[in-house]
């Protein structure tokens, strides 16, 4: 029986971050779906995990022009679709990163505030 211990500190992805994380992972090199999930997991020091059930539908990003797709052979000699970042995908990643940075900063400001005597 597997224990849940390795997963206890995992963070659930905020809605809307999955696509950004996929683009971020693909900026390093083209990958197939499983390798994208592994890249997110290892790139976050095991803190984030994208389940395959939510990953593969997200790879619709090829329809946006942000990804290029090609069939290649994996290191296990299996045929798989590899996804790579296009120039438009790099622009989208930069835009998503800017929005993410703004949100993180705003949340940090809110979380650092001392409680006031405000009434609901």
């Amino acid at each position: 029986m597997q224990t849940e211990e390795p997963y206890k500190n995992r963070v659930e992805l905020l809605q809307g971050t999955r696509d950004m994380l996929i683009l971020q992972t693909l900026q390093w090199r083209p990958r197939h779906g499983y390798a994208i999930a592994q890249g997110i997991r290892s790139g976050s020091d095991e803190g984030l995990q994208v389940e395959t059930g939510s990953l593969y539908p997200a790879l619709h990003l090829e329809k946006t022009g942000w990804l290029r797709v090609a069939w290649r052979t994996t290191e296990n000699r299996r045929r798989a679709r590899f996804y790579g970042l296009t120039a438009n995908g790099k622009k989208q990643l930069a835009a998503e990163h800017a929005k993410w940075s703004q949100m993180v900063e705003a949340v940090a400001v809110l979380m650092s505030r001392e409680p006031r005597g405000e009434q609901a």
Side-chain angles (χ1 to χ4, degrees):
M1 185 167 120
Q2 288 187 344
T3 176
E4 294 294 318
E5 188 67 25
Y7 300 102
K8 76 175 186 174
N9 292 324
R10 293 250 166 105
V11 177
E12 287 191 35
L13 294 180
L14 294 173
Q15 188 171 351
T17 60
R18 181 189 58 204
D19 292 351
M20 179 182 65
L21 294 174
I22 290 170
L23 295 175
Q24 175 68 20
T25 302
L26 291 175
Q27 81 167 344
W28 300 314
R29 70 175 190 272
R31 298 172 188 246
H32 53 81
Y34 180 74
I36 293 170
Q38 294 299 85
I40 291 170
R41 185 181 55 75
S42 64
S44 67
D45 293 334
E46 311 293 320
L48 299 173
Q49 180 170 332
V50 177
E51 301 297 331
T52 54
S54 66
L55 175 67
Y56 286 100
L59 294 175
H60 72 282
L61 294 174
E62 71 179 276
K63 295 175 184 172
T64 64
W66 301 340
L67 301 181
R68 65 179 179 282
V69 182
W71 284 97
R72 294 186 8 204
T73 303
T74 68
E75 45 291 335
N76 295 334
R77 297 185 181 174
R78 294 186 180 196
R79 200 164 138 79
R81 290 171 54 117
F82 276 71
Y83 301 86
L85 214 51
T86 64
N88 284 339
K90 290 177 185 177
K91 288 178 188 174
Q92 182 63 29
L93 176 57
E96 293 291 325
H97 187 245
K99 286 193 282 187
W100 174 258
S101 295
Q102 287 176 332
M103 190 199 61
V104 167
E105 187 176 321
V107 169
V109 168
L110 177 63
M111 296 305 291
S112 67
R113 301 231 172 187
E114 291 294 322
R116 295 185 222 163
E118 298 175 0
Q119 295 181 6

